Amino acid sequence: MASGADRISDLPEGVLHHILSLLPAQDAVRTCVLAQSWRNRWRSAPALRFACSTGMAGGADAFFSLVNTLLHVRRRGPPLDSCDFDLDLDLSDDRRLEPHGNSWISRVLQLKVQELRFRAPADPFANPRLAFKLDHVHLSSQRLTSLELSGVKGNAVVLDFSDCLAMERLKMERCSVSSTEMQSPSLKHLSIKNCIFYSNCRTVLSFPSLVSFEFVANFGRAPMLETMPYMETAIVRFDRHHADRCKNGRLDDCGDAACPGCFNYYGPHDSGSVFLHGLAEATYLNLSAYPDMYVFNRDLKWCPAFNKLKTLVLRKWFLSTDLSALIWFLHHTPLLEKLTLEIPKPRKTLMKTEGSYNPLGIAPSHLQNVEIISKDVDGVVLKVLKVLNANGIPLGKIRIQCSGYDFLCTNINSM
C-alpha cells in the first residue's frame, strides 16, 4: 500500500461483489469514489441491504429517496441474489412507510430477487395498530426462494404463495396473521415465531411439500394443519398466549356456547385432528405446551400412528390427567429410538386418581434410551417412571437429569 498499489481492485470480481453485498446500500454506493474501476461496480452487486438506523442523517425523507433511487438504477441490472430491508423504530409513526414499503417489495420481486427479508419496525404484541400492512396483492415470482417477514400484517391474499413456485423457505416473526388460510405448493421450510393469529376460526396451513416446521410462542388459536407427507422435523411450543383453553377447565368440548375456547372449535372443518395429524410423518418431533392446551389431547383421538418417528421430546402438556398422552405415544411410535420428557418447575401435580398403567399394545422395540429432565425426583417423576415401566420400558434404559446430576434409573422403590 505504501507504493500506492490498489491491491483490493486486483481481487477477483466475484470477491469484490461479495464485499459490496455485505455493506449497507449507502456505503456500497460510496465506493464509487475509490477509483475509476469502482465507479459503477456497486450497480452490479448481487445483494442490496437497506438499513434505516435511528438518527440517520436526513431522516425518513432521505431514506425513502435513497431506496427509490437505487431500485430505479438497478432495474436494468443483473438479477438480485438477495435484498434486505431493516427498518428501525424511527419510522414506526411514519404512515408513509406502508405505501413505500409495499412498492419496494413489488419492485424487488421485479428485479428477480432470490432471497427477500423485510423487517418492519412495529411489534404487533406491543402496538397492533402500528403493524405494517402488506398490500392486498398476490406476491408473484418465479425466482424467489426465501422470504423473511418481521413486524408485518399479512392478509388472505398476500399469504397465498401459490404464485411463488420456487419458494422453499418462509420465516415469519412478530407478524399478524389475518387470514383463514396460508398455502404454498413448493415450501419446504417454515418458521413462525411470536406471531398473532387474528381469526374467529382456525387458520388452515396447506404446505404439502414441507420438510421442517417451527411454530413457537405464537398468540391465538392453533392453526389447522393439512397433511404434510414429506415432514421430517417439527418443533412446536405453545406458551401462555394460546387461545385454545376451556374457561370451564375441560380438556374436551365443554358444550358451552359462551366458551371462547370451545366455540367453533374446528373452524372450517367439522371434526378430526386439528394439529398433530399434519406432523404424523415426522422423524423428529418436539412438543411443548401447558396442560390446559387441550388441542393435543383431542387430536390423539383422531391422529394416526407416527410410523416414522425416531426422536420425541415432550414438555409440560403430557403431564395432564392420567398420562394417557404419554401412553398413546409409547404405543403409536413403532420406530421410536429416543424419548425425552421435560418436567418443569413450578407445576401442578397430576390428578390424585391412580391409573392402572396397563399396556395398550406393543411398546416401541427400537427405543434405546429415555431421558427425564426434572428439578427433583418427586411423586410426579415416580408416576412417570411407573407408567414407562408398566408399558414395556426397562428401567435400565431410563436416565434422569436432576439438579445437575445424571443417573440411570434401576429401582423405583429405592427412590
Side-chain angles (χ1 to χ4, degrees), residues 365-403:
S365 59
H366 293 77
L367 191 61
Q368 299 298 316
N369 62 79
V370 177
E371 185 177 45
I372 298 176
I373 302 173
S374 179
K375 187 174 182 180
D376 50 50
V377 178
D378 56 10
V380 174
V381 173
L382 293 178
K383 185 170 287 190
V384 171
L385 289 173
K386 289 179 181 179
V387 167
L388 293 171
N389 193 228
N391 284 272
I393 310 301
L395 294 179
K397 290 186 175 182
I398 303 175
R399 182 175 294 276
I400 299 177
Q401 287 190 21
C402 174
S403 299

Side-chain angles (χ1 to χ4, degrees), residues 161-277:
F161 302 103
S162 301
D163 291 336
C164 298
L165 296 178
M167 194 166 78
E168 296 187 351
R169 207 173 280 273
L170 172 63
K171 181 177 180 180
M172 298 177 65
E173 194 163 358
R174 298 186 303 106
C175 293
S176 299
V177 178
S178 261
S179 172
T180 57
E181 188 170 12
M182 294 175 58
Q183 59 181 323
S184 166
S186 60
L187 199 70
K188 293 183 178 180
H189 307 282
L190 173 62
S191 177
I192 303 176
K193 296 181 179 180
N194 297 300
C195 294
I196 301 176
F197 283 75
Y198 285 116
S199 178
N200 291 328
C201 58
R202 301 190 186 280
T203 301
V204 178
L205 303 189
S206 180
F207 300 106
S209 300
L210 208 63
V211 173
S212 68
F213 180 49
E214 279 189 290
F215 192 86
V216 175
N218 298 297
F219 178 90
R221 281 194 159 184
M224 181 167 284
L225 304 187
E226 294 195 343
T227 302
M228 301 176 186
Y230 302 104
M231 176 65 63
E232 294 179 1
T233 302
I235 300 173
V236 176
R237 193 183 89 210
F238 286 95
D239 290 340
R240 293 190 181 276
H241 298 299
H242 71 83
D244 284 305
R245 56 168 56 93
C246 175
K247 74 172 186 178
N248 297 313
R250 295 283 297 271
L251 293 179
D252 55 3
D253 192 347
C254 68
D256 184 353
C259 176
C262 295
F263 177 72
N264 198 20
Y265 175 79
Y266 290 107
H269 294 252
D270 294 330
S271 62
S273 173
V274 167
F275 196 89
L276 291 182
H277 80 291

Side-chain angles (χ1 to χ4, degrees), residues 286 313-316 318-319 340-344 371 373:
N286 188 320
V313 180
L314 299 177
R315 187 170 185 265
K316 294 182 181 179
F318 74 95
L319 294 172
T340 300
L341 304 173
E342 296 187 22
I343 302 176
E371 185 177 45
I373 302 173

Side-chain angles (χ1 to χ4, degrees), residues 111-138:
L111 294 177
K112 300 181 180 180
V113 68
Q114 282 187 294
E115 300 178 4
L116 173 60
R117 177 176 175 264
F118 190 90
R119 177 183 173 270
D123 186 340
F125 282 94
N127 195 337
R129 183 181 63 84
L130 294 179
F132 180 98
K133 296 181 181 64
L134 293 172
D135 274 348
H136 204 68
V137 178
H138 276 294

Side-chain angles (χ1 to χ4, degrees), residues 292-306:
D292 63 355
M293 167 74 185
Y294 56 67
V295 169
F296 292 166
N297 298 77
R298 290 187 181 184
D299 278 1
L300 295 182
K301 300 176 182 179
W302 305 93
C303 197
F306 285 68

Side-chain angles (χ1 to χ4, degrees), residues 342-361:
E342 296 187 22
I343 302 176
K345 277 281 194 176
R347 63 170 185 276
K348 295 181 179 179
T349 59
L350 294 175
M351 291 178 62
K352 294 182 179 179
T353 54
E354 289 291 334
S356 63
Y357 312 133
N358 291 328
L360 303 178

Side-chain angles (χ1 to χ4, degrees), residues 96-160:
R96 294 176 299 166
L97 178 59
E98 279 183 10
H100 276 291
N102 280 293
S103 172
W104 297 337
I105 292 174
S106 176
R107 292 163 69 181
V108 166
L109 292 178
Q110 293 174 12
L111 294 177
K112 300 181 180 180
V113 68
Q114 282 187 294
E115 300 178 4
L116 173 60
R117 177 176 175 264
F118 190 90
R119 177 183 173 270
D123 186 340
F125 282 94
N127 195 337
R129 183 181 63 84
L130 294 179
F132 180 98
K133 296 181 181 64
L134 293 172
D135 274 348
H136 204 68
V137 178
H138 276 294
L139 298 182
S140 180
S141 171
Q142 300 302 308
R143 184 175 162 87
L144 184 68
T145 61
S146 177
L147 176 64
E148 293 188 24
L149 299 172
S150 179
V152 306
K153 184 175 183 179
N155 52 64
V157 173
V158 77
L159 294 178
D160 179 354

